[in-house]
Amino acid sequence: MKTLREVGIAGTGHYVPERIVPNSWFESFLDTSSDWIESRTGMRERRFAAEGEACSDLCLHASRRALEDAGMTPDELDLIIVATVTPDQLLPATVAFLQDKLGASRAGGWDITNACTGWLSAMMSAYGMIAAGTIDNCLIVGAEVLTSIMNFQDRGSCILFGDGAGAAILKADHPRGRILYTSSGMDGAQWEAISRSAGGSKRAITHEVVEKRDHLMALKGNDVFKFAVGKFRDLMREQIDALGVGYDDIGLVVPHQVNIRIIESALKKLDIDMDRIYINLDRYSNTSAASIPIAFDEARKAGRVKEGELISFIAFGAGLGWGSVAIRW
Ligand code: UT7
């Protein structure tokens, strides 16, 4: 890959809402059990945003922590990209609220709607612009209030998700966290596997839509499961081949926190053990665009990311789409 400037990660941060919701909470209104949820997903609890706590509020906390980690002030930011499928409102982009709350007076910005792959999409966009010299730095935030679109009558989906935000600051020529490899893809023909079919320009929200709960997220869990296992493997293999390294050279994989069984199944045919995979889905469940940046920040702060190590990010989700990034810490 030819780059004009190197791009590194100057700081990271994350935020999760205070309210902890254990699996047992769902037993009170759904035909499910804590054991079923944990054994089928690896999830034990998740965080739910407080009433009135919007996506930009979560972004704000995570962004301030990333800025502090980078030793930067908001007015130094050139660009902010927010990845989310649960914006504060449909217009304007959530980044407008974040830019205002942060006081990032010089920054431009936009949102990216690419679900679980969204934060890596934001990273790839910022990387290209910084490498080309268009900007010198960018705050990328993955944040979701998925509780705002979860169908709490569907036991096959609502048990899987949680709310949270993760952020990073990409900077030109920063020596740490250099981006070495990026790749993305999509199979749009499979869009129905994860969707929220009403509320956009194709289908307005009507009384009928609300009665059918089509304004909420719908999932074909089994289809996504099969797709995700294969895609995880392919992305890992492609990354290794492109970098010309072996599995032993990878220090840590930070995957989308989708389901422990998906991750374990994918690894069966790869020469890499679970102790080099960072997992926090037991505590936060699936937070879509926020999942990788929360996990990466946690991993760093827990001492799991060592200087000089190769770190691999793997994401897949609605679209169906996918992305993969490798960095050197
Ligand atoms: O980030 C992308 C978004 N995430 C996803 O798309 C999730 C990917 N998929 C998955 O994680 C898994 O497919 C699920 C966790 C959603 C489901 O696990 P599974 O092992 O694939 O179960 P299944 O869908 O094959 O269902 C097995 C049984 C069914 O009952 P019958 O037909 O065998 O009688 C389901 O109705 O489990 C039932 N079931 C439940 N039972 C108790 C489904 N959800 C639940 C539940 N509690 N919450």
Side-chain angles (χ1 to χ4, degrees):
M1 212 181 300
K2 195 175 164 190
T3 56
L4 301 174
R5 292 199 293 184
E6 297 286 347
V7 180
I9 298 180
T12 61
H14 81 272
Y15 168 80
V16 288
E18 277 173 28
R19 183 178 165 201
I20 299 174
V21 177
N23 289 347
S24 56
W25 181 77
F26 294 95
E27 292 173 353
S28 63
F29 62 96
L30 282 176
D31 179 14
T32 190
S33 68
S34 292
D35 288 348
W36 191 96
I37 300 170
E38 191 172 343
S39 63
R40 296 287 183 129
T41 67
M43 295 163 183
R44 297 150 79 97
E45 57 192 38
R46 67 284 297 137
R47 301 297 180 102
F48 280 3
E51 183 91 34
E53 199 176 19
C55 182
S56 64
D57 297 317
L58 274 58
C59 288
L60 182 64
H61 293 302
S63 301
R64 282 188 174 145
R65 288 171 185 174
L67 280 164
E68 192 186 343
D69 189 42
M72 288 172 69
T73 51
D75 58 351
E76 291 178 74
L77 290 172
D78 290 341
L79 183 71
I80 307 173
I81 306 179
V82 173
T84 187
V85 291
T86 49
D88 283 24
Q89 50 192 63
L90 289 181
L91 191 72
T94 298
V95 73
F97 300 107
L98 176 61
Q99 187 249 6
D100 180 41
K101 286 174 185 172
L102 259 183
S105 51
R106 289 180 47 251
W110 52 80
D111 286 9
I112 284 184
T113 309
N114 208 19
C116 308
T117 316
W119 189 73
L120 291 190
S121 309
M123 185 182 275
M124 291 182 215
S125 311
Y127 169 56
M129 291 179 71
I130 298 171
T134 316
I135 52 171
D136 288 328
N137 67 62
C138 181
L139 165 65
I140 53 168
V141 194
E144 303 287 7
V145 181
L146 290 168
T147 41
S148 66
I149 61 164
M150 276 150 62
N151 180 354
F152 284 100
Q153 291 178 6
D154 177 19
R155 67 177 183 169
S157 64
C158 72
I159 49 124
L160 297 170
F161 300 101
D163 301 333
I169 292 162
L170 303 192
K171 208 169 169 187
D173 298 321
H174 191 78
R176 201 181 54 179
R178 289 261 166 112
I179 297 175
L180 305 178
Y181 169 84
T182 70
S183 155
S184 70
M186 183 157 278
D187 179 6
Q190 294 199 65
W191 69 267
E192 276 183 295
I194 309 170
S195 70
R196 193 180 162 212
S197 61
S201 57
K202 194 166 74 174
R203 199 162 160 234
I205 293 186
T206 60
H207 288 294
E208 192 198 342
V209 159
V210 173
E211 264 164 37
K212 288 184 172 167
R213 304 181 80 73
D214 285 347
H215 60 303
L216 301 171
M217 179 169 36
L219 203 66
K220 295 186 178 173
N222 283 123
D223 294 354
V224 179
F225 195 108
K226 282 174 217 145
F227 154 81
V229 170
K231 189 49 70 185
F232 193 127
R233 274 183 201 143
D234 293 347
L235 291 172
M236 224 39 251
R237 285 178 180 140
E238 284 164 19
Q239 207 178 89
I240 293 284
D241 287 350
L243 292 167
V245 298
Y247 287 105
D248 284 351
D249 297 310
I250 296 201
L252 192 70
V253 181
V254 184
H256 172 44
Q257 304 289 313
V258 57
N259 179 327
I260 196 71
R261 287 168 51 230
I262 290 177
I263 296 168
E264 285 172 350
S265 303
L267 293 185
K268 269 182 199 153
K269 290 189 186 160
L270 299 174
D271 201 8
I272 184 159
D273 349 301
M274 274 306 280
D275 60 8
R276 275 186 291 147
I277 314 290
Y278 191 78
I279 299 292
N280 65 5
L281 61 84
D282 51 326
R283 286 173 290 124
Y284 304 135
S285 299
N286 179 348
T287 57
S288 190
S291 126
I292 292 180
I294 292 175
F296 180 55
D297 185 50
E298 266 202 356
R300 268 194 65 209
K301 284 159 191 170
R304 294 281 305 274
V305 179
K306 309 259 171 16
E307 199 180 328
E309 268 183 356
L310 201 56
I311 310 294
S312 171
F313 301 123
I314 302 283
F316 34 76
L320 292 170
W322 53 90
S324 149
V325 171
I327 62 167
R328 175 81 64 192
W329 197 250

